[in-house]
Amino acid sequence: MARSQWGTRAGFILAAVGSAVGLGNIWRFPYVAYENGGGAFFIPYLFALLTAGIPILIMEFTLGHRFRGSAPLTFFRFEGKKAEWLGWWQILVSFVISTYYAVIIAWSMRYTLFSFNLGWGEDTQAFLFGDFLQLAETPGEVGGIVWGVFIPLVLVWIISLGILLAGVQKGIELANRIFIPTLVVIFLIIVIRAVTLPGAGAGLTAFFEPNFEEIMNPTVWVAAYGHIFFSLSIAFAIMITYSSYLPKKSDITNNAFITGFANSSFELLAGIGVFAALGYMAVQSGVDVSEVATAGVGLAFVVFPQIINEFPGLNGLFGALFFLSLTLAGLTSLISITETYVAGFSEKFGTSRRKAVAIAGGLAAVISILFSTNGGLYFLDVTDYFINQFGIALIGLIEVVLVAWAFRKLSDLQGHANLVSDIRLGNWWKICLSVVTPIVLGYMMFGLFTENLLQQFDTETGNYEGYTNSFIFWSGWLVAIGALVLGIIFSLGKWHRDHAEFTEE
């Protein structure tokens, strides 16, 4: 059976960029840059992009393009059973991420509507945790369904699974052709308006002013590599799956550079918009920018509504555009994340795409209901922390070490990429993947494991975010370890006969 393909090169690039550009670009990158040297952070950031981000993108594009399969099938065709488990591990981590990522998109949808009449009121923090999320008092307590979150969550899954049902060209490619240009236009409007606000200059100065002393701090370089790694959707199984739909004649290295720099350009745009708005808020409140700068849920759903409350003229429209941009960025990423396990499930068991979407996507949608309950934010917070830190980063480290050192296949992949690409890979690519990336990611993982093991025995402050040991164990470590164990179990099964044999052309 002929494999689905992208209709155009632009369609693939928009889909890859759509996957990379997500909520983290808007609510994580600006704060990471600000906290790690401001303008000076762009030096390690660019270095990390060129020595880890784009090299790994090229590797994953090459793997998918050469072996023509989802991540598990690609690794199975690459090195058999001894590599297949890695693909399933990636897919199961993506599966977990999709279950709570959809809920954050649902929040963004609802806040888009709240924007028109400033429905969050004056105390935006109390509204988020009390009125909107109806957060339980005790971590680990599930409670009942919060219907204000559940209803938009259903809509998020209807849109995402509906697009996936339509296929690669008529679904994913078409959606990204609409969503990504719309997202860029909306965010440009936000940025233009934000930089014209009183106090915007103070925010931009805080964002761009370089602190070159921070360049010598190893944690700043680790932060740069860590952010690049999470930002580009590498080790999620996404880029392997997406590149498997490329035509045989595809410029792999050029595609990787375009995707990497397009993602970074949007992050820079997001940083300008966010810090211009934070500068306005700081001036209005008579405080320093450092006192209003934050990241994540707090930035998007507490600080930005506060900014919108004080916004001069058409504040409802500005708020709606901001939360609509979060919704679009989230949807393009959720679609790509879900496609990884839809493709893997379909190929492993020989089911139709429609059945794979219904079963795998439907299961993710059902599990995501947990995050729309009274205790949903606690589960989301812990699951996100552990699955990202001990899922994605660890998978990336193991993937690079296996390909470069255990299987020693970098030269083979380099030859394939050079055969189809205008930009030829040299020794720099192999050095980055075999030396630079393993050292940096290894250092990151050692620090994370050490920090979290120490927290386990800290009886005074407790674990991550001060949660109890039992809650952390069952909600955090169990999910992270479970994804690996299930990945190994899935790899033990036989492939459907249509995919068991593969001959490179």
Side-chain angles (χ1 to χ4, degrees):
M1 186 171 63
R3 186 168 185 79
S4 299
Q5 285 192 1
W6 302 107
T8 62
R9 179 183 181 183
F12 164 72
I13 290 173
L14 283 172
V17 170
S19 173
V21 172
L23 298 171
N25 297 67
I26 299 171
W27 75 22
R28 186 175 187 270
F29 169 76
Y31 187 73
V32 170
Y34 168 71
E35 280 285 281
N36 290 279
F41 178 74
F42 292 102
I43 296 173
Y45 174 86
L46 183 60
F47 191 81
L49 175 66
L50 294 174
T51 60
I54 290 176
I56 296 177
L57 264 185
I58 293 171
M59 183 183 77
E60 294 200 337
F61 280 178
T62 305
L63 281 166
H65 182 260
R66 181 175 177 180
F67 296 104
R68 320 298 293 170
S70 59
L73 183 57
T74 289
F75 282 114
F76 174 73
R77 289 172 169 175
F78 178 53
E79 276 293 317
K81 289 290 183 183
K82 59 185 176 182
E84 181 189 337
W85 63 273
L86 181 61
W88 285 112
W89 189 14
Q90 291 181 343
I91 275 183
L92 286 162
V93 165
S94 290
F95 178 87
V96 173
I97 290 173
S98 70
T99 61
Y100 64 80
Y101 201 81
V103 178
I104 302 174
I105 302 170
W107 298 352
S108 302
M109 276 188 175
R110 194 77 195 283
Y111 266 66
T112 303
L113 298 179
F114 288 149
S115 297
F116 289 107
N117 64 351
L118 307 183
W120 45 67
E122 292 298 319
D123 191 342
T124 57
Q125 182 167 320
F127 176 82
L128 172 66
F129 298 114
D131 298 345
F132 180 54
L133 296 180
Q134 300 170 30
L135 188 61
E137 292 185 7
T138 308
E141 177 186 341
V142 177
I145 289 176
V146 179
W147 295 101
V149 177
F150 176 79
I151 292 172
L153 176 63
V154 172
L155 182 57
V156 168
W157 281 115
I158 288 173
I159 294 171
S160 301
L161 298 184
I163 288 169
L164 290 170
L165 278 172
V168 174
Q169 277 190 39
K170 295 181 179 179
I172 301 172
E173 182 171 346
L174 180 60
N176 279 283
R177 282 181 174 275
I178 297 170
F179 289 170
I180 294 302
T182 304
L183 172 63
V184 172
V185 170
I186 288 174
F187 219 82
L188 276 171
I189 294 171
I190 292 172
V191 169
I192 292 170
R193 183 65 187 98
V195 297
T196 60
L197 292 170
L204 294 177
T205 298
F207 180 58
F208 283 110
E209 187 173 26
N211 180 1
F212 288 108
E213 291 180 4
E214 288 293 312
I215 294 291
M216 304 307 294
N217 188 342
T219 60
V220 171
W221 288 81
V222 170
Y225 274 88
H227 181 77
I228 283 292
F229 203 79
F230 295 126
S231 177
L232 285 176
S233 295
I234 46 185
F236 280 80
I238 295 169
M239 295 309 183
I240 291 176
T241 305
Y242 270 11
S243 60
S244 73
Y245 302 132
L246 281 168
K248 293 175 183 176
K249 294 183 178 180
S250 299
D251 193 333
I252 291 173
T253 52
N254 252 331
N255 288 343
F257 274 99
I258 292 170
T259 301
F261 280 108
N263 175 69
S264 294
S265 298
F266 187 85
E267 289 194 316
L268 180 59
L269 187 68
I272 293 171
V274 166
F275 267 84
L278 289 175
Y280 166 74
M281 181 181 178
V283 168
Q284 292 295 109
S285 306
V287 298
D288 190 77
V289 174
S290 62
E291 294 188 38
V292 296
T294 184
V297 172
L299 172 67
F301 300 102
V302 175
V303 175
F304 250 87
Q306 290 173 354
I307 294 171
I308 294 162
N309 281 345
E310 303 295 327
F311 206 80
L314 298 177
N315 53 354
L317 177 60
F318 180 85
L321 288 176
F322 175 75
F323 287 108
L324 180 58
S325 71
L326 284 182
T327 302
L328 291 174
L331 280 172
T332 56
S333 294
L334 178 63
I335 290 165
S336 68
I337 293 169
T338 308
E339 173 64 15
T340 64
Y341 53 84
V342 166
F345 182 88
S346 175
E347 290 172 352
K348 182 73 174 184
F349 301 105
T351 63
S352 67
R353 181 178 186 84
R354 183 175 295 272
K355 187 178 291 187
V357 171
I359 295 174
L363 179 61
V366 169
I367 293 174
S368 71
I369 296 173
L370 171 66
F371 302 106
S372 66
T373 62
N374 297 114
L377 180 60
Y378 296 123
F379 289 105
L380 188 157
D381 183 34
V382 174
T383 305
D384 175 61
Y385 177 78
F386 278 83
I387 204 70
N388 271 291
Q389 303 299 331
F390 304 105
I392 298 301
L394 185 57
I395 289 173
L397 172 61
I398 292 174
E399 179 184 60
V400 170
V401 169
L402 285 178
V403 174
W405 293 105
F407 305 144
R408 296 189 175 275
K409 289 294 182 73
L410 282 183
S411 294
D412 290 348
L413 296 177
Q414 180 186 27
H416 179 83
N418 285 343
L419 191 65
V420 297
S421 304
D422 289 338
I423 301 175
R424 296 179 63 83
L425 301 176
N427 288 330
W428 71 271
W429 182 72
K430 290 196 286 187
I431 291 171
C432 288
L433 291 180
S434 60
V435 180
V436 179
T437 302
I439 289 174
V440 175
L441 287 181
Y443 180 82
M444 279 177 56
M445 294 312 305
F446 176 78
L448 283 169
F449 275 112
T450 303
E451 176 186 350
N452 280 274
L453 285 173
L454 288 174
Q455 285 180 341
Q456 295 295 326
F457 300 102
D458 189 341
T459 56
E460 293 185 8
T461 61
N463 277 283
Y464 169 66
E465 296 294 341
Y467 296 147
T468 63
N469 284 330
S470 60
F471 181 69
I472 278 295
F473 179 79
W474 292 109
S475 300
W477 288 112
L478 191 63
V479 172
I481 296 170
L484 171 59
V485 173
L486 284 175
I488 294 172
I489 292 172
F490 267 99
S491 69
L492 298 177
K494 292 183 178 180
W495 283 94
H496 187 268
R497 61 181 180 275
D498 291 343
H499 305 292
E501 296 181 4
F502 173 71
T503 302
E504 291 188 60
E505 298 179 7

